[in-house]
């Protein structure tokens, strides 16, 4: 079943003369339970696409379907709840003056849900945080714990889709591993569909089934996980990004090894 | 530490960040605020004087030894003595008792003005900042118009138009105090307008009212409270100024500004008539300033 | 690398402590290492004391910090006893530093060209005109395409990658014998990072100098550096040749390696680091 379908999606910022088309005509879809990746260098438009899917950027053209339902620029509460965004910066995405409990209660109040404390306890357990954390303020939590809170806030409305905007790029590798494992578990348990943005192809290949490689607002290629792991991607730019995730490529060593007979 | 067992237990419970209830979390931040207030002598002095003012105003009938309105021309213009600590005025009323009752008037005016001004200033400023566009332009132009007059002149104009009386003085002062609060609320709102946590609330379907009240208020509150506290002194001075000019509290009501004004005819013979209320005005406005400065350090989110 | 035995920097049992309200935090705990004419990586999680170590070598720690060491020797200079005046003549000339954000190292009210020229005038006693030509040449050396335009830019007008190249171009002139680079490429995209590192690599290898490369990126350090120092909670837990990083022995290093998602060795689940209190004993 197709969860997300975007066709000829173009997104711009600004009005009139200063209008700037940042995403140019991209099309993709993600099935239920699938994870679709977006990779590319900073400024290529990854967050902008997520913003359009989440309902944050309203200046888009083309068509977006969520769970078969065509979405307009204005959304109802129920439509907003179907997909939730997880932000890159765990220090800026949680209200500094709300306790964690308050942060998690907020969406329940907006949507008039029942059994509130029960839901908060369940979601805290789901993301692996102790229950008493609900009385804490964000400044008392580490970066990894805050990102768990951000994931909990996104999950508490029981969305079908999580839009993950570089959820681990502000974290240490050891913490990144915990969060990536958590995301994998949640995807299986809750049958979630993810759109994962990252600049690191290794992270994307770890979690995603298919990946769109972006450059200045467009897709250069949509590669499968298999292609990434077997190194059979087509576009040279994808290769560059793959090399980048492996580290530094010494040009001298490269030249030397090229000079040697194979 | 030489604290008794229960006290140090309470201290530990309050200082612990391992909260087990939201009540503990709230008390924790209040307790930390209290501790930093004690650690700052000037702010604490301000706090103590303000507290004293409140106590005096609340217990005025108990503290005042004479009836503040009882006239006795035989005793007019007596110098400070054991019977009349601050002397008597031209009608023979006890200046100390009038000073004590005057604290009520002062507190009444400042509290009323603050209660009127805080929500109005916040709603106008935060709405302008959050919604932006033409709403922002219209609201801010109105604010600018009010801001462009010196506040005492504006207050004078309004109370002259509304007629003398303490309620009208409160309205006149409130009209001059809200614009800086609105400006401040707008500036603060703009810094949080595009924060990820505000966007997150929007994407969960929160409406404008909810965002302003639940998300923006807790962030703006500290600086607005600080600003209002610092404003108290100018409210007191403006009220005293209006009283002095006969536009505020009307006789025989005890009001510090009016007391100073009526005493000025006898400045050379009866110095206490102007000096005592003058010192009271000065002390209380200084106290509010010191407290406000201290609160800025304590409550500013950027400091903690 | 050529002549690794030629030691530039020796640090023995260095500790850095910060007095705080709740007691003394030891940010760096008894670390010892040497740097020769090579690229040495320092790697560890955030808060493990990498930057504090780098700053302590430059004697740029905050004033309240307490630095203790048995020995801190840079070439012929004893960094423990050198006067502040000596340190000033060493910083930037004999030991240079590159930070994550070049904007903090450049003077915001001078154009980048003027700043580089100033370095030229200081080091080569050149005239203004000669200095300008030298500067343009250096900008070209670090692969800046239109040096004339970049010369007149202010630091806030240049991109992160460009800023790092400008920092490196100053080092081409000042010719330090040790460079401390603190996360110089963490804010850069991979393609820009590759270009900046190539220039840095050329500089270090050609001039035969030492480089301390602070990073949290295992793959980057493994592929760029010759030797890697692994720090955990202010301690050096292991020092290993970069090529042998996969054979690292310490459980912390192994934990970090296993936590890393990899294109070459995909795993279903990443291993989660289990911290052992025993790592803190040494
Ligand atoms: N609110 C905005 N107004 C104008 N331009 C923007 C805005 N947000 C992003 N942009 C521009 O859009 C482009 C894409 O940004 P973004 O989607 O954030 O990229 P990415 O997430 O891939 O790094 C960038 O060039 C950025 O400068
Ligand atoms: N000025 C300071 N005052 C108190 N503690 C500090 C200060 N600077 C750094 N620290 C502490 O030193 C430790 C190491 O910090 P740092 O060297 O910046 O780590 P890294 O660069 O590895 O991320 C941290 O735990 C930090 O809390
Ligand atoms: Mg982005
Ligand atoms: Mg650092």
């Amino acid at each position: 079943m197709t969860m997300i379908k975007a066709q000829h999606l173009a997104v711009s910022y600004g009005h009139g003369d200063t209008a700037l088309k940042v995403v140019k005509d991209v099309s993709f879809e993600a099935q239920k339970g699938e994870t679709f990746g977006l990779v590319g260098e900073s400024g290529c438009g990854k967050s902008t696409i997520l913003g359009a899917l989440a309902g944050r950027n309203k200046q888009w053209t083309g068509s977006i379907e969520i769970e078969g339902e065509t979405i307009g620029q204005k959304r109802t509460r129920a439509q907003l709840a179907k997909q939730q965004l997880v932000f890159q910066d765990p220090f800026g995405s949680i209200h500094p003056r709300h306790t964690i409990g308050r942060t998690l209660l907020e969406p329940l109040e907006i949507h008039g849900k029942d059994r509130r404390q029960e839901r908060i306890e369940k979601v805290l357990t789901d993301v692996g945080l102790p229950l008493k954390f609900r009385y804490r303020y964000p400044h008392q939590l580490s970066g990894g714990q805050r990102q768990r809170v951000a994931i909990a806030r996104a999950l508490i409305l029981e969305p079908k889709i999580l839009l993950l905007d570089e959820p681990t790029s502000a974290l240490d590798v050891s913490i990144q591993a915990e969060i990536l494992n958590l995301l994998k578990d949640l995807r299986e348990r809750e049958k979630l569909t993810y759109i994962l943005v990252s600049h690191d192809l290794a992270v994307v290949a770890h979690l995603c089934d298919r990946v769109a490689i972006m450059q200045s607002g467009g897709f250069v290629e949509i590669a499968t996980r298999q292609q990434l792991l077997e190194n059979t991607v087509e576009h040279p730019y994808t290769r560059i990004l793959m090399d980048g995730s492996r580290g530094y490529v010494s040009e001298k060593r490269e030249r030397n090894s090229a000079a040697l007979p194979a | 530490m030489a604290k008794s067992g229960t006290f140090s237990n309470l201290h530990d419970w309050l200082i612990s960040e391992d909260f087990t209830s939201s009540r503990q979390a709230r008390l924790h931040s209040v307790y930390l605020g209290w501790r930093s207030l004690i650690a700052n002598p000037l702010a604490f002095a301000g706090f103590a004087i303000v507290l004293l003012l409140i106590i005096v105003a609340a217990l005025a009938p108990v503290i005042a030894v004479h009836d503040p309105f009882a006239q006795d021309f035989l005793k007019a213009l007596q110098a400070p003595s054991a019977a009349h600590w601050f002397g008597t005025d031209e009608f023979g009323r006890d200046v100390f008792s009038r000073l004590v009752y005057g604290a009520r008037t002062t507190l009444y005016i400042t509290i009323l003005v603050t209660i009127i001004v805080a929500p109005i200033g916040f709603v106008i400023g935060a709405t302008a900042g959050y919604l932006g566009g033409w709403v922002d332009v219209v609201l801010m132009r109105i604010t600018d118009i009010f801001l462009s007059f010196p506040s005492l002149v504006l207050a004078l104009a309004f109370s002259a138009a509304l007629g003398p009386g303490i309620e009208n003085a409160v309205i006149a002062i409130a009209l001059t105090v809200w614009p800086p609060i609105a400006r401040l609320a707008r500036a603060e709102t703009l810094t949080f307008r595009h924060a990820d946590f505000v966007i997150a609330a929007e994407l969960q379907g929160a409406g404008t009212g909810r965002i302003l009240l639940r998300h923006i208020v807790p962030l703006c509150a500290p600086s607005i409270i600080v600003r209002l506290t610092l404003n108290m002194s100018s409210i007191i001075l403006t009220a005293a100024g209006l009283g002095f000019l006969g536009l505020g509290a009307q006789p025989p009501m005890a009001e510090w500004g009016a007391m100073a004004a009526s005493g000025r005819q006898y400045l050379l013979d009866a110095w206490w008539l102007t000096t005592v209320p003058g010192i009271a005005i000065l002390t209380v406005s200084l106290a509010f300033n010191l407290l406000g400065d201290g609160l800025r350090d304590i409550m500013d989110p950027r400091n903690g | 690398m050529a002549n690794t035995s030629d030691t530039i920097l020796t640090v023995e049992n260095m500790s850095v402590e910060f007095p705080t309200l709740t007691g003394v935090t030891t940010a760096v705990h008894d670390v010892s290492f040497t740097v020769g004419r090579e690229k040495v990586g320092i790697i560890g999680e955030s808060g493990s004391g990498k930057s504090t170590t780098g700053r302590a070598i430059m004697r740029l720690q905050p004033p309240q910090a307490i630095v203790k060491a048995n020995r801190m020797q840079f070439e012929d200079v004893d960094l423990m006893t050198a006067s502040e005046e000596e340190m000033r003549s060493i910083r930037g000339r004999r030991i240079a530093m590159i930070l994550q954000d070049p904007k903090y190292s450049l003077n915001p009210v001078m154009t980048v060209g003027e700043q580089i020229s100033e370095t030229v005038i200081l080091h080569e006693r050149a005239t203004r005109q000669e200095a300008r030509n030298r500067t343009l040449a250096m900008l070209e050396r670090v692969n800046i395409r239109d040096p004339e335009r970049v010369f007149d830019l202010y630091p806030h007008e240049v991109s992160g990658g460009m800023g790092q190249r400008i920092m490196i171009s100053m080092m081409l002139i000042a010719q330090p014998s040790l460079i401390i680079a603190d996360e110089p490429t963490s804010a850069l995209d991979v393609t820009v990072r590759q270009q900046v590192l190539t220039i840095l690599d050329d500089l270090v290898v050609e001039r035969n100098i030492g480089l301390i490369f602070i990073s949290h990126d295992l793959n980057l350090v493994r592929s760029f550096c010759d030797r890697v120092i692994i720090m955990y909670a202010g301690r050096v837990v292991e020092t290993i040749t970069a090529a042998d990083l996969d054979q690292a022995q310490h459980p912390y290093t192994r934990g970090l390696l296993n936590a890393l998602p990899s294109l070459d060795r995909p795993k279903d689940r990443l291993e989660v680091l289990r911290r052992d209190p025993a790592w803190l004993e040494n």
Side-chain angles (χ1 to χ4, degrees):
Chain A
M1 183 190 156
T2 310
M3 237 13 228
I4 303 173
K5 187 168 184 182
Q7 277 179 313
H8 306 294
L9 182 65
V11 194
S12 45
Y13 290 108
H15 296 272
D17 292 342
T18 56
L20 184 69
K21 201 181 235 187
V22 165
V23 173
K24 299 151 193 153
D25 192 27
V26 298
S27 301
F28 60 94
E29 53 181 68
Q31 305 298 319
K32 188 177 170 72
E34 188 185 0
T35 299
F36 186 78
L38 293 172
V39 265
E41 305 200 331
S42 60
C44 71
K46 308 181 294 290
S47 302
T48 305
I49 292 185
L50 283 198
L53 293 176
R56 174 184 188 173
N57 299 341
K58 299 187 178 71
Q59 275 176 268
W60 51 266
T61 57
S63 80
I64 298 179
E65 278 175 39
I66 306 278
E67 241 192 334
E69 182 187 8
T70 305
I71 297 290
Q73 258 76 1
K74 274 229 154 71
R75 299 192 198 205
T76 63
R77 276 210 182 125
Q79 285 174 330
L80 281 172
K82 271 195 186 159
Q83 69 284 310
Q84 285 294 308
L85 194 56
V86 175
F87 296 83
Q88 170 174 8
D89 175 17
F91 293 86
S93 66
I94 305 173
H95 199 293
R97 301 241 151 190
H98 286 173
T99 59
I100 305 310
R102 168 90 244 159
T103 292
L104 296 178
L105 187 63
E106 195 62 18
L108 297 178
E109 285 185 1
I110 295 172
H111 290 263
K113 300 268 187 191
D114 56 349
R115 298 183 290 115
R116 293 181 182 166
Q117 293 310 319
E118 203 179 306
R119 285 175 199 263
I120 290 176
E121 284 172 16
K122 175 177 183 298
V123 82
L124 280 173
T125 316
D126 281 350
V127 298
L129 287 176
L131 293 185
K132 65 178 183 198
F133 266 40
R134 73 172 108 169
Y135 305 119
R136 296 215 178 176
Y137 286 95
H139 70 86
Q140 298 171 315
L141 270 51
S142 69
Q145 289 167 338
R146 289 184 201 209
Q147 204 56 303
R148 285 175 192 265
V149 172
I151 293 172
R153 176 183 57 194
L155 286 177
I156 200 157
L157 289 175
E158 297 170 350
K160 303 271 167 61
I161 300 162
L162 279 197
L163 306 167
L164 304 155
D165 194 352
E166 313 220 23
T168 60
S169 66
L171 306 175
D172 280 314
V173 272
S174 51
I175 312 299
Q176 165 172 283
E178 292 175 15
I179 298 290
L180 292 180
N181 285 343
L182 170 69
L183 288 172
K184 220 167 192 174
D185 293 343
L186 288 171
R187 181 177 64 189
E188 262 151 51
R189 203 175 333 139
E190 315 282 333
K191 306 275 175 299
L192 290 166
T193 308
Y194 290 165
I195 306 277
L196 173 72
V197 163
S198 178
H199 61 266
D200 186 346
L201 260 178
V203 168
V204 162
H206 178 74
L207 219 54
C208 296
D209 308 292
R210 287 182 313 130
V211 185
I213 291 90
M214 286 189 72
Q215 197 175 18
S216 45
F219 289 175
V220 301
E221 163 170 23
I222 294 186
T224 63
R225 183 180 144 86
Q226 213 55 32
Q227 277 176 293
L228 289 178
L229 297 180
E230 288 168 2
N231 207 353
T232 56
V233 296
E234 279 155 22
H235 202 278
Y237 184 67
T238 315
R239 283 251 154 67
I240 294 177
L241 292 182
M242 288 180 71
D243 288 341
S245 96
R246 293 197 174 93
Y248 171 69
V249 187
S250 164
E251 285 175 10
K252 286 200 200 64
R253 264 174 253 163
E254 201 94 309
R255 269 179 247 137
N256 292 348
S257 57
L260 291 174
Chain B
M1 287 206 193
K3 273 187 190 141
S4 75
T6 37
F7 259 134
S8 82
N9 278 349
L10 182 63
H11 171 83
D12 291 345
W13 183 75
L14 284 168
I15 207 85
S16 152
E17 298 212 324
D18 201 6
F19 306 139
T20 51
S21 70
S22 30
R23 195 165 58 101
Q24 188 185 5
R26 269 198 304 276
L27 287 175
H28 171 80
S29 46
V30 171
Y31 186 62
L32 288 191
W34 170 246
R35 284 182 62 95
S36 40
L37 184 68
I38 319 184
N40 181 342
L42 280 179
F44 187 72
F47 174 75
I49 294 173
V50 171
L51 195 66
L52 188 71
L53 177 76
I54 294 171
I55 293 172
V56 166
L59 301 180
V62 183
I63 296 174
V65 279
H66 298 269
D67 180 347
F69 307 115
Q71 302 186 358
D72 182 351
F73 288 97
L74 294 177
K75 288 186 180 168
L77 297 177
Q78 283 188 358
S81 64
H84 300 283
W85 296 344
F86 293 153
T88 59
D89 66 5
E90 68 272 28
F91 299 109
R93 295 174 297 197
D94 179 45
V95 173
F96 175 73
S97 304
R98 287 186 65 75
L99 198 69
V100 167
Y101 275 87
R104 282 194 163 181
T105 319
T106 301
L107 211 57
Y108 175 78
I109 294 177
T110 46
I111 289 178
L112 215 56
V113 168
T114 306
I115 288 177
I116 296 173
V117 151
I120 293 181
F122 172 79
V123 167
I124 291 182
T127 310
Y130 181 72
L131 292 179
W134 64 266
V135 178
D136 186 23
V137 173
V138 171
L139 290 177
M140 281 305 111
R141 282 304 81 80
I142 295 174
T143 313
D144 285 343
I145 292 170
F146 277 87
L147 268 177
S148 58
F149 293 98
S151 62
L152 188 62
V153 172
L154 198 62
L156 263 177
F158 278 117
S159 34
L162 295 167
I166 192 160
E167 279 76 22
N168 289 344
V170 165
I171 295 173
I173 296 172
L175 283 169
T176 68
V177 174
W178 72 266
I181 304 292
R183 281 248 156 230
L184 180 68
R186 175 177 178 270
E188 291 274 311
T189 306
L190 282 180
T191 59
F192 302 116
R193 171 72 192 85
H194 296 287
D196 283 350
F197 53 83
V198 173
I199 305 279
E202 287 175 353
L203 293 183
Q204 291 183 318
T208 304
R210 182 174 201 97
I211 295 218
L212 289 182
L213 289 181
R214 291 292 174 85
H215 295 258
I216 305 285
V217 165
L219 292 163
C220 294
S223 50
I224 291 186
I225 290 176
V226 168
R227 184 56 165 272
L228 283 170
T229 314
L230 291 172
N231 260 350
M232 301 267 182
S233 60
S234 71
I235 295 174
I236 292 172
L237 292 175
T238 312
L242 290 179
F244 190 88
L245 295 168
L247 287 167
Q250 293 304 300
M253 189 174 200
E255 201 274 334
W256 295 350
M259 283 166 72
S262 63
R264 76 185 190 284
Q265 306 166 31
Y266 312 98
L267 196 60
L268 294 178
D269 311 321
W271 54 268
W272 56 91
L273 283 190
T274 38
T275 313
V276 169
I279 290 177
I281 293 169
L282 188 75
T283 312
V284 171
S285 50
L286 183 67
F288 272 114
N289 258 325
L290 292 176
L291 180 64
D293 261 343
L295 284 182
R296 185 188 351 247
D297 298 340
I298 295 166
M299 307 215 311
D300 193 332
R302 279 162 288 244
N303 292 342
Chain C
M1 312 286 83
N3 205 0
T4 323
S5 59
D6 185 355
T7 306
I8 298 173
L9 177 76
T10 308
V11 174
E12 278 176 22
N13 304 92
M14 180 178 79
S15 295
V16 184
E17 293 169 354
F18 291 100
T20 62
L21 291 178
T22 49
V24 175
T25 0
T26 309
V28 176
H29 192 96
D30 233 3
V31 304
S32 305
F33 59 90
T34 59
V35 180
R37 305 191 179 280
E38 55 178 340
K39 291 170 281 181
V40 178
I42 300 185
I43 186 154
E45 292 165 288
S46 59
S48 57
K50 310 181 294 290
S51 302
T52 307
T53 304
R55 280 198 297 268
I57 294 168
M58 292 280 268
R59 288 250 306 263
L60 283 174
Q61 70 276 11
Q64 78 273 21
I66 305 160
V67 179
K68 296 180 197 149
N70 290 354
R71 198 157 94 97
M72 283 171 74
Q73 184 81 25
F74 165 70
E75 293 186 325
D76 57 340
V77 185
D78 182 350
L79 294 174
M80 303 282 298
T81 58
S83 68
E84 190 47 39
E85 206 169 320
E86 282 175 81
M87 286 311 298
R88 266 201 294 277
S89 71
I90 289 171
R91 285 183 209 125
R93 300 189 200 189
R94 297 180 60 190
I95 309 180
M97 198 154 189
I98 312 179
L99 300 177
Q100 175 168 348
D101 190 341
K103 287 190 190 72
Y104 293 123
S105 322
L106 294 168
N107 182 344
V109 296
M110 263 168 93
T111 67
V112 297
E114 283 167 356
Q115 295 185 52
I116 304 174
S117 300
E118 200 140 279
T119 319
V120 175
I121 292 169
L122 205 68
H123 284 270
E124 303 179 357
R125 302 179 191 288
T127 64
R128 285 257 149 223
Q129 190 53 46
E130 286 165 1
R132 186 184 164 88
N133 292 337
R134 273 283 280 164
T135 301
L136 292 175
M138 287 305 130
L139 287 175
E140 221 158 318
R141 270 289 303 279
V142 293
N143 292 344
I144 289 176
R145 263 181 231 108
D146 40 359
E148 296 276 351
R149 187 181 67 87
V150 174
F151 191 97
D152 292 320
L153 294 181
Y154 285 92
H156 68 267
E157 296 173 313
V158 304
S159 66
M162 180 89 79
Q164 297 301 34
R165 285 178 218 205
I166 290 165
M167 292 304 296
I168 296 172
S169 74
M170 289 194 190
M171 292 174 193
L172 287 168
I173 295 159
Q175 311 207 353
S177 43
L178 178 66
I179 298 175
I180 301 174
D182 191 351
E183 311 253 5
T185 58
S186 300
L188 306 180
D189 281 320
V190 282
T191 45
V192 184
R193 179 178 85 187
Q194 174 71 27
Q195 292 159 0
V196 168
L197 289 180
T198 306
I199 299 165
L200 193 59
D201 196 9
D202 287 349
L203 171 68
V204 172
V205 173
E206 269 170 34
R207 300 274 162 95
N208 197 26
I209 62 177
L211 170 71
I212 298 179
F213 187 86
I214 297 172
S215 175
H216 63 268
D217 187 335
L218 279 161
N219 282 333
L220 189 61
V221 169
R222 185 208 320 244
S223 50
F224 183 70
C225 295
D226 304 312
R227 223 148 47 83
V228 187
I229 295 169
I230 295 111
M231 285 188 74
Y232 175 74
R235 293 148 172 89
V236 171
V237 294
E238 191 166 14
T239 304
I240 194 166
T241 309
D244 299 335
L245 194 62
D246 285 329
Q247 280 92 54
Q249 294 303 313
H250 197 279
Y252 175 66
T253 319
R254 297 227 54 83
L256 284 187
L257 286 168
N258 291 333
L260 210 59
S262 154
L263 284 173
D264 305 310
R265 270 156 300 155
K267 292 171 263 208
D268 184 47
R269 282 187 76 77
L270 299 169
E271 228 165 272
V272 171
L273 187 66
R274 271 178 232 300
R275 286 156 213 274
D276 185 344
W279 299 347
L280 299 179
E281 290 157 18
N282 71 359

